[in-house]
Amino acid sequence: MANNTLVISDMHIDTPDLPDSVRIEEMLSNNPKYILIAGDLGNGSDLVSRFFKKALPVWKDQIVCYVAGNHDYYGCDFARFPRVMEELEAQFPNFHFLNGTSNFLVLPDAKEPTVIIGNTLWTDMELYVQDGSLQTLDDWGFRAMQYMNEFRYIMDNGKKFYAKGWIAKHQLDIANMRAAFAQFVGTHKIVAMTHHLPHARSLDPIYVRYVLDHCYSSNILGRDELLSKAAVWIHGHSHSRANYMEGNTRVLANPVGYCEHREEHLKLNLEL
């Protein structure tokens, strides 16, 4: 059976390589039934909203699911972003922002009962600690705050964003995803979609020298028995493509990144 789902992430539409109208039309080039966007559409809620207001009337026949990436929150407050997305959902019934407890969608007309469950899924920052680092979690949080722009460009409910807030968001995202998984395990094929990575195998070794992998990935698959029941786990953030099996879960990433829009990113790569 032909694939019917376009999985894509990290489009970074603020990078001046193509007009929005070209991107929007190109994403329909293979006639997808579902468009799944795993975050980092662009910098800030206003830019993301403007893009979707252009795209969603064109994608009126597609089901569009989206989770926010770290860049999507830049220049705004965590409290504001969901409100902007809820306005889009009210205007465009085919658009679904997966976030918080509103983090799942049962896909209509899938070939088998299928649910998309998603959140940004900030990392637990424990990657190096789990690998035996002698530095503490607080040390790794401090390093993140030194080098990650999230702490400069995002406000957390009117206050400065700190590493402890990042970890708290991870814990909340995990709890909300586990609650959704518990509803659908055994009755539906579960497709998880997050921006951050569910396993370190998705990390690109080219970035190892920055010693910031703990800000990109948590080792969830194989450690969390319930979340490891996902049939597919889609992610973004790493700017390197992924398509591998971890246990019984297919891990899939199709980031565009900071580059010219290339045809291979528009290929349909999942059947739902």
Side-chain angles (χ1 to χ4, degrees), residues 35-187:
I35 298 175
L36 307 182
I37 303 174
D40 274 9
L41 190 57
N43 285 353
S45 59
D46 291 341
L47 182 61
V48 170
S49 178
R50 285 199 300 269
F51 178 83
F52 276 130
K53 284 178 179 178
K54 296 176 186 176
L56 291 168
V58 180
W59 299 344
K60 61 184 183 300
D61 296 324
Q62 281 68 40
I63 300 295
V64 180
C65 288
Y66 162 70
V67 297
N70 54 312
H71 277 261
D72 299 329
Y73 290 107
Y74 279 17
C76 62
D77 193 295
F78 283 121
R80 180 175 184 270
F81 193 91
R83 295 198 295 268
V84 176
M85 296 302 104
E86 287 165 8
E87 291 172 2
L88 287 172
E89 288 181 307
Q91 187 174 354
F92 301 100
N94 63 321
F95 174 69
H96 304 274
F97 174 52
L98 305 183
N99 181 63
T101 56
S102 300
N103 63 347
F104 66 85
L105 175 70
V106 176
L107 290 183
D109 303 320
K111 68 176 184 178
E112 61 181 297
T114 301
V115 62
I116 308 289
I117 299 175
N119 265 317
T120 300
L121 191 60
W122 299 86
T123 68
D124 56 15
M125 291 199 178
E126 293 185 4
L127 195 70
Y128 295 116
V129 176
Q130 292 170 354
D131 282 346
S133 169
L134 296 180
Q135 292 180 284
T136 67
L137 186 59
D138 285 343
D139 293 332
W140 289 112
F142 180 73
R143 180 171 180 80
M145 290 191 64
Q146 283 182 299
Y147 294 102
M148 298 298 289
N149 284 328
E150 287 85 331
F151 300 105
R152 299 174 181 85
Y153 299 143
I154 304 173
M155 296 296 290
D156 190 1
N157 291 291
K159 299 178 181 179
K160 181 175 173 58
F161 187 31
Y162 287 97
K164 287 184 177 180
W166 173 307
I167 294 169
K169 290 186 181 302
H170 165 83
Q171 293 168 342
L172 184 59
D173 282 353
I174 283 286
N176 288 331
M177 289 191 71
R178 294 188 91 256
F181 268 62
Q183 291 185 55
F184 294 104
V185 164
T187 61

Side-chain angles (χ1 to χ4, degrees), residues 255-270:
V256 177
Y258 302 113
C259 65
E260 294 182 2
H261 208 58
R262 294 196 295 267
E263 185 176 349
E264 64 260 29
H265 293 105
L266 304 173
K267 293 178 181 178
L268 303 179
N269 46 19
L270 188 62

Side-chain angles (χ1 to χ4, degrees), residues 15 93 129 145 197 231 241 246:
T15 304
V129 176
M145 290 191 64
L197 287 54
R241 302 177 88 182
E246 179 61 32

